[in-house]
Amino acid sequence: MTPYRQALLSALDALDAAFAKEPAFTVEGCTYCWGEEDFAQLSGPLDAISEATIQGAAMEVPDHWRDFPRLYRRLTPLLVRRAVLGGGDGVPADVVATRLREAGCLQWAPEPAGALRAVGKAWWRAVLHGEGGDLSADEVLNVLTVTSGTVRPWLGIWAATRTPYADALLRAYVEEFPFVIGQLADGWREEPRDDPRREVAAWLLGDVRDRLGDLPRDSLMALNEVRCAY
């Protein structure tokens, strides 16, 4: 196992520990979509919740729960682990990212919030070294931007990772830029003036331009348009 994969698994274990103090409570919600057995599972020990219930809770809209923020906060270690590691049917990482923001993750206490950020950093470093799982670099960047409320630290890590593999990811990202940049704003919760797309375009044209080689004409046009538009 590579150091980056091991660091990711260790960060996920630390996330479990950080949320271990999150108490169980009586979960209530939409009785049309959820039965008493489901509520009983979600109200009990985390390790007794079935995979089907975990996946269903991950995808459910917030207004189907009486106390959505508390439920999603309690389930965070389960949902993040499955979103990051994938496998099987999995839990879509982009949905988990949006739900975390809706659950108020940016206002959580320092210990759980810090553990969540640490998972993001370990995951991103693993991605940039080819050990991050099934999602592409642009998909993971989108997820991390939504979850953290900023794209800046993830660009900083990418800029500091000066390896052939990270450079290849950069070139692939630029080539796909006209098609993937719109997805970066999906789930965005900030004011339009803080739209992360402009910052990414400026970063690509400035900080890491020397690592990109000759840019396709369509990509160069898209970069300049985005830098000026948002």
Side-chain angles (χ1 to χ4, degrees), residues 86-149:
D89 292 332
V91 172
D94 58 341
V95 174
V96 171
T98 299
R99 296 286 185 269
L100 285 169
R101 288 296 299 277
E102 292 170 332
C105 67
L106 297 185
Q107 287 76 47
W108 287 351
E111 184 179 3
L116 185 61
R117 285 194 300 271
V119 169
K121 290 178 181 178
W123 187 23
W124 188 226
R125 290 190 175 102
V127 168
L128 296 177
H129 288 86
E131 298 291 338
D134 298 332
L135 296 183
S136 63
D138 64 274
E139 290 173 318
V140 176
L141 181 63
N142 296 352
V143 166
L144 295 174
T145 299
V146 170
T147 305
S148 65

Tab-separated table of all heavy atoms in Angstrom, residues 86-149:
chain	number	residue	atom	x	y	z
A	86	GLY	N	-15.578	4.470	-2.555
A	86	GLY	CA	-16.366	3.887	-3.632
A	86	GLY	C	-16.544	2.391	-3.442
A	86	GLY	O	-16.508	1.872	-2.330
A	87	GLY	N	-16.716	1.701	-4.563
A	87	GLY	CA	-16.931	0.261	-4.511
A	87	GLY	C	-18.409	-0.068	-4.429
A	87	GLY	O	-19.189	0.601	-3.763
A	88	GLY	N	-18.815	-1.120	-5.144
A	88	GLY	CA	-20.210	-1.517	-5.146
A	88	GLY	C	-21.089	-0.421	-5.702
A	88	GLY	O	-20.703	0.335	-6.588
A	89	ASP	N	-22.286	-0.304	-5.167
A	89	ASP	CA	-23.182	0.765	-5.586
A	89	ASP	C	-22.685	2.113	-5.083
A	89	ASP	O	-22.891	3.135	-5.712
A	89	ASP	CB	-24.602	0.505	-5.069
A	89	ASP	CG	-25.243	-0.707	-5.733
A	89	ASP	OD1	-24.865	-0.993	-6.881
A	89	ASP	OD2	-26.079	-1.339	-5.101
A	90	GLY	N	-22.032	2.090	-3.930
A	90	GLY	CA	-21.417	3.299	-3.404
A	90	GLY	C	-22.416	4.363	-2.994
A	90	GLY	O	-23.629	4.188	-3.049
A	91	VAL	N	-21.876	5.459	-2.538
A	91	VAL	CA	-22.635	6.655	-2.190
A	91	VAL	C	-22.049	7.782	-3.011
A	91	VAL	O	-20.859	8.063	-2.906
A	91	VAL	CB	-22.525	6.963	-0.684
A	91	VAL	CG1	-23.149	8.301	-0.358
A	91	VAL	CG2	-23.183	5.862	0.142
A	92	PRO	N	-22.825	8.432	-3.886
A	92	PRO	CA	-22.261	9.463	-4.761
A	92	PRO	C	-21.605	10.589	-3.974
A	92	PRO	O	-22.234	11.237	-3.141
A	92	PRO	CB	-23.482	9.965	-5.545
A	92	PRO	CG	-24.460	8.838	-5.486
A	92	PRO	CD	-24.250	8.202	-4.141
A	93	ALA	N	-20.333	10.835	-4.264
A	93	ALA	CA	-19.583	11.837	-3.513
A	93	ALA	C	-20.141	13.233	-3.705
A	93	ALA	O	-20.128	14.048	-2.775
A	93	ALA	CB	-18.108	11.792	-3.926
A	94	ASP	N	-20.645	13.546	-4.903
A	94	ASP	CA	-21.168	14.894	-5.129
A	94	ASP	C	-22.435	15.140	-4.316
A	94	ASP	O	-22.658	16.255	-3.818
A	94	ASP	CB	-21.404	15.144	-6.613
A	94	ASP	CG	-22.355	14.155	-7.253
A	94	ASP	OD1	-22.577	13.058	-6.689
A	94	ASP	OD2	-22.898	14.465	-8.336
A	95	VAL	N	-23.247	14.106	-4.155
A	95	VAL	CA	-24.454	14.253	-3.332
A	95	VAL	C	-24.081	14.437	-1.870
A	95	VAL	O	-24.628	15.297	-1.173
A	95	VAL	CB	-25.380	13.031	-3.506
A	95	VAL	CG1	-26.564	13.109	-2.542
A	95	VAL	CG2	-25.874	12.929	-4.936
A	96	VAL	N	-23.124	13.639	-1.395
A	96	VAL	CA	-22.683	13.761	-0.007
A	96	VAL	C	-22.133	15.164	0.252
A	96	VAL	O	-22.414	15.778	1.288
A	96	VAL	CB	-21.637	12.689	0.325
A	96	VAL	CG1	-21.018	12.939	1.703
A	96	VAL	CG2	-22.266	11.299	0.298
A	97	ALA	N	-21.356	15.696	-0.700
A	97	ALA	CA	-20.794	17.039	-0.530
A	97	ALA	C	-21.899	18.077	-0.379
A	97	ALA	O	-21.853	18.938	0.518
A	97	ALA	CB	-19.913	17.388	-1.725
A	98	THR	N	-22.902	18.021	-1.237
A	98	THR	CA	-24.004	18.982	-1.168
A	98	THR	C	-24.783	18.841	0.137
A	98	THR	O	-25.136	19.831	0.787
A	98	THR	CB	-24.941	18.794	-2.369
A	98	THR	OG1	-24.214	19.026	-3.574
A	98	THR	CG2	-26.115	19.754	-2.307
A	99	ARG	N	-25.034	17.600	0.545
A	99	ARG	CA	-25.773	17.377	1.787
A	99	ARG	C	-24.973	17.852	3.008
A	99	ARG	O	-25.549	18.379	3.964
A	99	ARG	CB	-26.123	15.897	1.937
A	99	ARG	CG	-27.066	15.358	0.880
A	99	ARG	CD	-28.488	15.837	1.099
A	99	ARG	NE	-29.383	15.225	0.146
A	99	ARG	CZ	-29.703	15.744	-1.048
A	99	ARG	NH1	-29.227	16.938	-1.396
A	99	ARG	NH2	-30.511	15.111	-1.872
A	100	LEU	N	-23.657	17.667	2.982
A	100	LEU	CA	-22.839	18.151	4.088
A	100	LEU	C	-22.965	19.665	4.244
A	100	LEU	O	-23.062	20.185	5.358
A	100	LEU	CB	-21.372	17.755	3.888
A	100	LEU	CG	-21.036	16.285	4.148
A	100	LEU	CD1	-19.623	15.969	3.661
A	100	LEU	CD2	-21.164	15.943	5.631
A	101	ARG	N	-22.963	20.368	3.115
A	101	ARG	CA	-23.132	21.825	3.180
A	101	ARG	C	-24.519	22.174	3.705
A	101	ARG	O	-24.671	23.105	4.503
A	101	ARG	CB	-22.905	22.443	1.801
A	101	ARG	CG	-21.451	22.449	1.361
A	101	ARG	CD	-20.587	23.319	2.268
A	101	ARG	NE	-21.003	24.703	2.264
A	101	ARG	CZ	-20.644	25.581	1.329
A	101	ARG	NH1	-19.852	25.212	0.337
A	101	ARG	NH2	-21.057	26.826	1.399
A	102	GLU	N	-25.523	21.441	3.249
A	102	GLU	CA	-26.887	21.693	3.718
A	102	GLU	C	-27.031	21.379	5.206
A	102	GLU	O	-27.882	21.955	5.887
A	102	GLU	CB	-27.875	20.870	2.896
A	102	GLU	CG	-27.979	21.330	1.448
A	102	GLU	CD	-28.765	20.364	0.568
A	102	GLU	OE1	-28.784	19.151	0.860
A	102	GLU	OE2	-29.342	20.829	-0.434
A	103	ALA	N	-26.183	20.473	5.696
A	103	ALA	CA	-26.194	20.124	7.125
A	103	ALA	C	-25.371	21.093	7.955
A	103	ALA	O	-25.283	20.938	9.181
A	103	ALA	CB	-25.675	18.701	7.319
A	104	GLY	N	-24.752	22.093	7.309
A	104	GLY	CA	-24.015	23.117	8.043
A	104	GLY	C	-22.612	22.736	8.433
A	104	GLY	O	-22.108	23.187	9.463
A	105	CYS	N	-21.937	21.934	7.599
A	105	CYS	CA	-20.616	21.412	7.988
A	105	CYS	C	-19.584	22.512	8.208
A	105	CYS	O	-18.620	22.309	8.963
A	105	CYS	CB	-20.113	20.401	6.966
A	105	CYS	SG	-19.731	21.086	5.334
A	106	LEU	N	-19.746	23.677	7.593
A	106	LEU	CA	-18.770	24.751	7.788
A	106	LEU	C	-18.890	25.388	9.168
A	106	LEU	O	-17.983	26.119	9.591
A	106	LEU	CB	-18.932	25.830	6.713
A	106	LEU	CG	-18.679	25.394	5.270
A	106	LEU	CD1	-18.753	26.598	4.342
A	106	LEU	CD2	-17.341	24.689	5.129
A	107	GLN	N	-19.976	25.108	9.870
A	107	GLN	CA	-20.168	25.662	11.207
A	107	GLN	C	-19.973	24.619	12.311
A	107	GLN	O	-20.254	24.886	13.478
A	107	GLN	CB	-21.579	26.271	11.332
A	107	GLN	CG	-21.759	27.574	10.578
A	107	GLN	CD	-21.897	27.369	9.084
A	107	GLN	OE1	-22.664	26.499	8.641
A	107	GLN	NE2	-21.168	28.142	8.292
A	108	TRP	N	-19.505	23.442	11.959
A	108	TRP	CA	-19.315	22.412	12.970
A	108	TRP	C	-18.183	22.767	13.923
A	108	TRP	O	-17.337	23.620	13.624
A	108	TRP	CB	-19.023	21.059	12.302
A	108	TRP	CG	-20.231	20.453	11.649
A	108	TRP	CD1	-21.526	20.887	11.744
A	108	TRP	CD2	-20.260	19.317	10.790
A	108	TRP	NE1	-22.360	20.085	11.004
A	108	TRP	CE2	-21.611	19.109	10.409
A	108	TRP	CE3	-19.292	18.448	10.313
A	108	TRP	CZ2	-22.003	18.068	9.568
A	108	TRP	CZ3	-19.665	17.405	9.475
A	108	TRP	CH2	-21.019	17.219	9.106
A	109	ALA	N	-18.145	22.081	15.052
A	109	ALA	CA	-17.102	22.295	16.053
A	109	ALA	C	-15.724	21.966	15.463
A	109	ALA	O	-15.620	21.212	14.486
A	109	ALA	CB	-17.371	21.415	17.273
A	110	PRO	N	-14.658	22.521	16.037
A	110	PRO	CA	-13.325	22.356	15.453
A	110	PRO	C	-12.885	20.909	15.243
A	110	PRO	O	-12.281	20.597	14.202
A	110	PRO	CB	-12.422	23.064	16.472
A	110	PRO	CG	-13.296	24.094	17.100
A	110	PRO	CD	-14.654	23.473	17.177
A	111	GLU	N	-13.164	20.017	16.189
A	111	GLU	CA	-12.661	18.648	16.046
A	111	GLU	C	-13.279	17.920	14.855
A	111	GLU	O	-12.545	17.410	13.988
A	111	GLU	CB	-12.879	17.855	17.331
A	111	GLU	CG	-12.288	16.443	17.247
A	111	GLU	CD	-12.465	15.642	18.528
A	111	GLU	OE1	-13.097	16.147	19.473
A	111	GLU	OE2	-11.980	14.495	18.576
A	112	PRO	N	-14.612	17.831	14.745
A	112	PRO	CA	-15.167	17.145	13.569
A	112	PRO	C	-14.893	17.887	12.272
A	112	PRO	O	-14.627	17.247	11.240
A	112	PRO	CB	-16.664	17.068	13.877
A	112	PRO	CG	-16.917	18.119	14.894
A	112	PRO	CD	-15.662	18.215	15.703
A	113	ALA	N	-14.941	19.211	12.298
A	113	ALA	CA	-14.669	19.974	11.074
A	113	ALA	C	-13.231	19.762	10.622
A	113	ALA	O	-12.955	19.593	9.420
A	113	ALA	CB	-14.942	21.459	11.310
A	114	GLY	N	-12.303	19.742	11.563
A	114	GLY	CA	-10.903	19.517	11.225
A	114	GLY	C	-10.661	18.119	10.684
A	114	GLY	O	-9.861	17.929	9.748
A	115	ALA	N	-11.339	17.134	11.248
A	115	ALA	CA	-11.188	15.765	10.766
A	115	ALA	C	-11.726	15.618	9.345
A	115	ALA	O	-11.146	14.888	8.525
A	115	ALA	CB	-11.909	14.803	11.710
A	116	LEU	N	-12.819	16.325	9.058
A	116	LEU	CA	-13.372	16.282	7.708
A	116	LEU	C	-12.420	16.926	6.709
A	116	LEU	O	-12.202	16.400	5.614
A	116	LEU	CB	-14.730	16.979	7.686
A	116	LEU	CG	-15.511	16.929	6.376
A	116	LEU	CD1	-15.827	15.498	5.967
A	116	LEU	CD2	-16.804	17.739	6.492
A	117	ARG	N	-11.817	18.062	7.086
A	117	ARG	CA	-10.835	18.710	6.204
A	117	ARG	C	-9.617	17.821	5.988
A	117	ARG	O	-9.069	17.767	4.880
A	117	ARG	CB	-10.399	20.053	6.803
A	117	ARG	CG	-11.423	21.161	6.682
A	117	ARG	CD	-10.797	22.515	6.969
A	117	ARG	NE	-10.231	22.572	8.317
A	117	ARG	CZ	-10.908	22.946	9.403
A	117	ARG	NH1	-12.183	23.287	9.292
A	117	ARG	NH2	-10.315	22.996	10.576
A	118	ALA	N	-9.207	17.114	7.025
A	118	ALA	CA	-8.044	16.240	6.913
A	118	ALA	C	-8.307	15.099	5.927
A	118	ALA	O	-7.404	14.703	5.169
A	118	ALA	CB	-7.672	15.681	8.285
A	119	VAL	N	-9.524	14.585	5.920
A	119	VAL	CA	-9.875	13.559	4.935
A	119	VAL	C	-9.783	14.141	3.531
A	119	VAL	O	-9.247	13.510	2.612
A	119	VAL	CB	-11.289	12.999	5.196
A	119	VAL	CG1	-11.753	12.140	4.016
A	119	VAL	CG2	-11.307	12.179	6.475
A	120	GLY	N	-10.304	15.359	3.358
A	120	GLY	CA	-10.235	15.993	2.051
A	120	GLY	C	-8.806	16.149	1.564
A	120	GLY	O	-8.493	15.853	0.403
A	121	LYS	N	-7.911	16.595	2.438
A	121	LYS	CA	-6.515	16.787	2.041
A	121	LYS	C	-5.849	15.453	1.695
A	121	LYS	O	-5.118	15.350	0.703
A	121	LYS	CB	-5.752	17.491	3.161
A	121	LYS	CG	-6.160	18.940	3.354
A	121	LYS	CD	-5.412	19.574	4.519
A	121	LYS	CE	-5.842	21.015	4.719
A	121	LYS	NZ	-5.154	21.634	5.891
A	122	ALA	N	-6.093	14.436	2.516
A	122	ALA	CA	-5.497	13.124	2.248
A	122	ALA	C	-6.044	12.535	0.955
A	122	ALA	O	-5.296	11.922	0.171
A	122	ALA	CB	-5.764	12.187	3.424
A	123	TRP	N	-7.337	12.705	0.729
A	123	TRP	CA	-7.953	12.189	-0.498
A	123	TRP	C	-7.381	12.890	-1.722
A	123	TRP	O	-7.029	12.252	-2.714
A	123	TRP	CB	-9.460	12.383	-0.413
A	123	TRP	CG	-10.247	11.747	-1.518
A	123	TRP	CD1	-9.871	10.700	-2.308
A	123	TRP	CD2	-11.568	12.123	-1.937
A	123	TRP	NE1	-10.875	10.384	-3.203
A	123	TRP	CE2	-11.920	11.241	-2.994
A	123	TRP	CE3	-12.477	13.093	-1.527
A	123	TRP	CZ2	-13.149	11.323	-3.649
A	123	TRP	CZ3	-13.701	13.167	-2.165
A	123	TRP	CH2	-14.034	12.288	-3.208
A	124	TRP	N	-7.261	14.215	-1.662
A	124	TRP	CA	-6.774	14.984	-2.794
A	124	TRP	C	-5.329	14.621	-3.117
A	124	TRP	O	-4.956	14.467	-4.277
A	124	TRP	CB	-6.927	16.459	-2.492
A	124	TRP	CG	-6.658	17.412	-3.618
A	124	TRP	CD1	-5.909	18.555	-3.542
A	124	TRP	CD2	-7.142	17.359	-4.967
A	124	TRP	NE1	-5.897	19.207	-4.746
A	124	TRP	CE2	-6.652	18.496	-5.650
A	124	TRP	CE3	-7.951	16.460	-5.662
A	124	TRP	CZ2	-6.925	18.751	-6.992
A	124	TRP	CZ3	-8.236	16.718	-7.005
A	124	TRP	CH2	-7.723	17.842	-7.649
A	125	ARG	N	-4.497	14.475	-2.087
A	125	ARG	CA	-3.109	14.073	-2.330
A	125	ARG	C	-3.052	12.683	-2.942
A	125	ARG	O	-2.224	12.412	-3.823
A	125	ARG	CB	-2.316	14.133	-1.027
A	125	ARG	CG	-2.075	15.559	-0.528
A	125	ARG	CD	-1.091	15.610	0.632
A	125	ARG	NE	-0.800	16.981	1.013
A	125	ARG	CZ	-1.322	17.592	2.067
A	125	ARG	NH1	-2.177	16.944	2.855
A	125	ARG	NH2	-1.008	18.854	2.340
A	126	ALA	N	-3.925	11.781	-2.486
A	126	ALA	CA	-3.974	10.442	-3.069
A	126	ALA	C	-4.387	10.507	-4.538
A	126	ALA	O	-3.810	9.815	-5.392
A	126	ALA	CB	-4.942	9.560	-2.279
A	127	VAL	N	-5.376	11.340	-4.854
A	127	VAL	CA	-5.808	11.505	-6.245
A	127	VAL	C	-4.653	11.990	-7.111
A	127	VAL	O	-4.422	11.479	-8.223
A	127	VAL	CB	-6.989	12.501	-6.318
A	127	VAL	CG1	-7.251	12.920	-7.766
A	127	VAL	CG2	-8.244	11.896	-5.702
A	128	LEU	N	-3.909	12.965	-6.617
A	128	LEU	CA	-2.825	13.555	-7.397
A	128	LEU	C	-1.639	12.614	-7.561
A	128	LEU	O	-0.735	12.880	-8.361
A	128	LEU	CB	-2.358	14.860	-6.739
A	128	LEU	CG	-3.399	15.982	-6.704
A	128	LEU	CD1	-2.847	17.195	-5.972
A	128	LEU	CD2	-3.862	16.362	-8.106
A	129	HIS	N	-1.651	11.493	-6.821
A	129	HIS	CA	-0.610	10.480	-6.971
A	129	HIS	C	-1.177	9.164	-7.519
A	129	HIS	O	-0.530	8.125	-7.445
A	129	HIS	CB	0.084	10.234	-5.633
A	129	HIS	CG	0.975	11.365	-5.219
A	129	HIS	ND1	0.508	12.474	-4.525
A	129	HIS	CD2	2.303	11.579	-5.409
A	129	HIS	CE1	1.512	13.304	-4.302
A	129	HIS	NE2	2.611	12.793	-4.824
A	130	GLY	N	-2.393	9.227	-8.064
A	130	GLY	CA	-2.975	8.053	-8.708
A	130	GLY	C	-3.515	7.015	-7.758
A	130	GLY	O	-3.694	5.860	-8.144
A	131	GLU	N	-3.806	7.406	-6.503
A	131	GLU	CA	-4.267	6.441	-5.502
A	131	GLU	C	-5.605	6.844	-4.897
A	131	GLU	O	-5.940	6.410	-3.801
A	131	GLU	CB	-3.218	6.331	-4.381
A	131	GLU	CG	-1.865	5.826	-4.838
A	131	GLU	CD	-1.900	4.366	-5.256
A	131	GLU	OE1	-2.818	3.647	-4.820
A	131	GLU	OE2	-1.009	3.949	-6.016
A	132	GLY	N	-6.363	7.666	-5.622
A	132	GLY	CA	-7.562	8.243	-5.020
A	132	GLY	C	-8.868	7.543	-5.309
A	132	GLY	O	-9.922	8.002	-4.876
A	133	GLY	N	-8.850	6.447	-6.050
A	133	GLY	CA	-10.094	5.744	-6.327
A	133	GLY	C	-10.607	5.985	-7.731
A	133	GLY	O	-9.844	6.319	-8.642
A	134	ASP	N	-11.919	5.835	-7.908
A	134	ASP	CA	-12.522	5.808	-9.244
A	134	ASP	C	-12.846	7.186	-9.812
A	134	ASP	O	-12.991	7.326	-11.025
A	134	ASP	CB	-13.815	4.979	-9.212
A	134	ASP	CG	-13.562	3.529	-8.824
A	134	ASP	OD1	-12.442	3.037	-9.097
A	134	ASP	OD2	-14.467	2.903	-8.243
A	135	LEU	N	-12.982	8.203	-8.978
A	135	LEU	CA	-13.388	9.512	-9.482
A	135	LEU	C	-12.214	10.216	-10.161
A	135	LEU	O	-11.055	10.058	-9.779
A	135	LEU	CB	-13.925	10.375	-8.351
A	135	LEU	CG	-15.204	9.896	-7.660
A	135	LEU	CD1	-15.637	10.908	-6.618
A	135	LEU	CD2	-16.314	9.649	-8.660
A	136	SER	N	-12.540	11.032	-11.156
A	136	SER	CA	-11.513	11.811	-11.849
A	136	SER	C	-11.099	13.002	-10.994
A	136	SER	O	-11.777	13.375	-10.033
A	136	SER	CB	-12.046	12.310	-13.193
A	136	SER	OG	-13.138	13.188	-12.995
A	137	ALA	N	-9.973	13.625	-11.352
A	137	ALA	CA	-9.479	14.773	-10.592
A	137	ALA	C	-10.495	15.910	-10.599
A	137	ALA	O	-10.694	16.583	-9.566
A	137	ALA	CB	-8.148	15.250	-11.164
A	138	ASP	N	-11.138	16.166	-11.731
A	138	ASP	CA	-12.107	17.271	-11.763
A	138	ASP	C	-13.317	16.973	-10.889
A	138	ASP	O	-13.853	17.879	-10.233
A	138	ASP	CB	-12.530	17.580	-13.204
A	138	ASP	CG	-13.264	16.434	-13.869
A	138	ASP	OD1	-12.597	15.557	-14.434
A	138	ASP	OD2	-14.499	16.402	-13.826
A	139	GLU	N	-13.733	15.713	-10.823
A	139	GLU	CA	-14.867	15.364	-9.962
A	139	GLU	C	-14.515	15.551	-8.488
A	139	GLU	O	-15.315	16.080	-7.705
A	139	GLU	CB	-15.287	13.920	-10.219
A	139	GLU	CG	-15.936	13.700	-11.577
A	139	GLU	CD	-16.187	12.241	-11.892
A	139	GLU	OE1	-15.304	11.403	-11.611
A	139	GLU	OE2	-17.269	11.923	-12.426
A	140	VAL	N	-13.325	15.123	-8.106
A	140	VAL	CA	-12.913	15.264	-6.709
A	140	VAL	C	-12.732	16.741	-6.358
A	140	VAL	O	-13.122	17.177	-5.275
A	140	VAL	CB	-11.622	14.474	-6.432
A	140	VAL	CG1	-11.139	14.702	-5.002
A	140	VAL	CG2	-11.855	12.977	-6.668
A	141	LEU	N	-12.167	17.512	-7.271
A	141	LEU	CA	-12.011	18.944	-7.020
A	141	LEU	C	-13.369	19.605	-6.798
A	141	LEU	O	-13.525	20.449	-5.903
A	141	LEU	CB	-11.296	19.610	-8.199
A	141	LEU	CG	-11.036	21.116	-8.065
A	141	LEU	CD1	-10.113	21.404	-6.885
A	141	LEU	CD2	-10.439	21.679	-9.358
A	142	ASN	N	-14.359	19.222	-7.576
A	142	ASN	CA	-15.708	19.766	-7.396
A	142	ASN	C	-16.250	19.431	-6.012
A	142	ASN	O	-16.816	20.286	-5.315
A	142	ASN	CB	-16.653	19.202	-8.460
A	142	ASN	CG	-16.280	19.613	-9.866
A	142	ASN	OD1	-15.402	20.448	-10.064
A	142	ASN	ND2	-16.923	19.013	-10.846
A	143	VAL	N	-16.094	18.170	-5.612
A	143	VAL	CA	-16.603	17.717	-4.313
A	143	VAL	C	-15.935	18.469	-3.173
A	143	VAL	O	-16.598	18.956	-2.249
A	143	VAL	CB	-16.374	16.194	-4.167
A	143	VAL	CG1	-16.572	15.749	-2.721
A	143	VAL	CG2	-17.320	15.426	-5.080
A	144	LEU	N	-14.620	18.591	-3.231
A	144	LEU	CA	-13.884	19.261	-2.164
A	144	LEU	C	-14.209	20.745	-2.097
A	144	LEU	O	-14.273	21.334	-1.015
A	144	LEU	CB	-12.385	19.051	-2.370
A	144	LEU	CG	-11.904	17.604	-2.248
A	144	LEU	CD1	-10.429	17.503	-2.608
A	144	LEU	CD2	-12.146	17.055	-0.845
A	145	THR	N	-14.430	21.362	-3.246
A	145	THR	CA	-14.768	22.781	-3.280
A	145	THR	C	-16.118	23.030	-2.619
A	145	THR	O	-16.281	23.964	-1.824
A	145	THR	CB	-14.782	23.293	-4.733
A	145	THR	OG1	-13.480	23.127	-5.293
A	145	THR	CG2	-15.164	24.750	-4.806
A	146	VAL	N	-17.095	22.195	-2.924
A	146	VAL	CA	-18.418	22.355	-2.325
A	146	VAL	C	-18.359	22.100	-0.825
A	146	VAL	O	-18.907	22.867	-0.022
A	146	VAL	CB	-19.426	21.402	-2.997
A	146	VAL	CG1	-20.741	21.384	-2.224
A	146	VAL	CG2	-19.676	21.819	-4.437
A	147	THR	N	-17.679	21.033	-0.415
A	147	THR	CA	-17.652	20.669	0.993
A	147	THR	C	-16.949	21.717	1.847
A	147	THR	O	-17.375	22.025	2.959
A	147	THR	CB	-16.941	19.314	1.179
A	147	THR	OG1	-17.574	18.336	0.349
A	147	THR	CG2	-17.027	18.852	2.617
A	148	SER	N	-15.856	22.268	1.321
A	148	SER	CA	-15.045	23.205	2.097
A	148	SER	C	-15.458	24.663	1.916
A	148	SER	O	-15.064	25.529	2.698
A	148	SER	CB	-13.571	23.061	1.714
A	148	SER	OG	-13.362	23.453	0.365
A	149	GLY	N	-16.213	24.961	0.858
A	149	GLY	CA	-16.612	26.330	0.593
A	149	GLY	C	-15.547	27.163	-0.085
A	149	GLY	O	-15.686	28.377	-0.202
